[in-house]
Amino acid sequence: EAGVTQFPSHSVIEKGQTVTLRCDPISGHDNLYWYRRVMGKEIKFLLHFVKESKQDESGMPNNRFLAERTGGTYSTLKVQPAELEDSGVYFCASSQDGRVLSEQFFGPGTRLTVL
Amino acid sequence: EDQVTQSPEALRLQEGESSSLNCSYTVSGLRGLFWYRQDPGKGPEFLFTLYSAGEEKEKERLKATLTKKESFLHITAPKPEDSATYLCAVRLNSGGYQKVTFGTGTKLQVIP
């Protein structure tokens, strides 16, 4: 069974540019999460999708970040325009059921560097 | 404010030298505590979930325990391949759905 995949693995962009990160969850997992780890800090929750609906987006830093999950399959996280403080590793995770106590499976992450 | 604190930040052990990692938490509505292992360039890999105080889980050289205020990850006779960053995370009840808060991790290095 394929795990959670993320693309690209690395992205280097200049301040003010736009970047789109993609996450493909494990097949059949309705719950999809985005997290971010900035250097030296803990992994922080960004948002949670249940199928195509945003269940909780309380962790999104500001309106420069837009997450979508059309059709309830893969998800994209767009940063527009990117700022220096957006640099970090963006992780995606998926789980079968968000309400029962099921573990989340993480992707390898996308390392974003904003120059 | 919900908080998860891990200690030490880094730990260097000789192969075979047992030790423990600590995760203390100050949260309300705890719905489970996770331990993850993270290797460089990879995402966190699930190890254990603990749900209630007094619970213990084991996997090979690792044993996780939980009290009302903290969790320990005991590593018995570690090997170099156990070198990784170990992350603790707590799951909170957020409107009926899970929300996970992570600690900053303990970077473990096991020397042959």
Side-chain angles (χ1 to χ4, degrees):
Chain A
E1 178 184 289
V4 177
T5 57
Q6 293 186 245
F7 181 83
S9 57
H10 293 85
S11 180
V12 181
I13 61 172
E14 292 190 352
K15 176 182 172 181
Q17 289 186 322
T18 297
V19 63
T20 300
L21 313 181
R22 174 173 168 143
C23 168
D24 286 78
I26 292 172
S27 177
H29 282 193
D30 288 340
N31 293 269
L32 186 149
Y33 310 82
W34 283 99
Y35 294 87
R36 176 175 73 171
R37 184 170 195 168
V38 298
M39 187 177 295
K41 300 280 190 177
E42 69 274 20
I43 296 173
K44 285 205 168 180
F45 168 84
L46 296 178
L47 88 160
H48 170 202
F49 281 101
V50 179
K51 296 185 180 179
E52 67 275 9
S53 300
K54 292 176 186 175
Q55 176 60 35
D56 181 353
E57 53 184 329
S58 61
M60 294 287 264
N62 49 61
N63 58 10
R64 294 186 293 103
F65 289 75
L66 175 65
E68 295 181 322
R69 192 183 182 195
T70 306
T73 54
Y74 71 91
S75 174
T76 58
L77 179 65
K78 183 162 71 173
V79 185
Q80 179 183 28
E83 298 288 345
L84 299 179
E85 63 264 25
D86 299 332
S87 295
V89 182
Y90 290 76
F91 292 104
C92 174
S94 71
S95 70
Q96 197 161 21
D97 190 320
R99 281 174 290 187
V100 300
L101 299 180
S102 60
E103 58 265 24
Q104 297 179 16
F105 295 89
F106 282 77
T110 293
R111 181 175 294 277
L112 174 64
T113 302
V114 183
L115 303 176
Chain B
E1 183 182 331
D2 299 323
Q3 200 163 7
V4 180
T5 303
Q6 290 190 248
S7 63
E9 289 186 10
L11 182 62
R12 193 172 178 181
L13 299 173
Q14 288 294 128
E15 184 172 1
E17 179 187 1
S18 301
S19 187
S20 296
L21 313 182
N22 177 264
C23 170
S24 62
Y25 58 91
T26 308
V27 299
S28 56
L30 181 72
R31 299 286 287 161
L33 184 142
F34 295 105
W35 281 98
Y36 285 89
R37 169 191 171 127
Q38 187 175 20
D39 292 294
K42 295 189 177 182
E45 176 189 343
F46 171 78
L47 292 174
F48 304 109
T49 306
L50 301 167
Y51 300 123
S52 56
E55 188 174 2
E56 298 182 351
K57 289 202 176 163
E58 286 188 68
K59 180 180 180 180
E60 296 180 352
R61 294 176 293 281
L62 301 177
K63 178 180 176 181
T65 62
L66 181 66
T67 71
K68 288 185 178 179
K69 293 286 176 78
E70 60 191 347
S71 176
F72 290 94
L73 184 66
H74 306 279
I75 303 177
T76 303
K79 298 182 177 181
E81 53 262 41
D82 294 323
S83 297
T85 295
Y86 290 85
L87 300 169
C88 167
V90 296
R91 178 163 48 198
L92 310 175
N93 189 4
S94 176
Y97 284 85
Q98 58 176 305
K99 184 174 180 177
V100 176
T101 298
F102 280 86
T104 52
T106 293
K107 187 172 182 179
L108 173 67
Q109 185 181 16
V110 182
I111 311 297

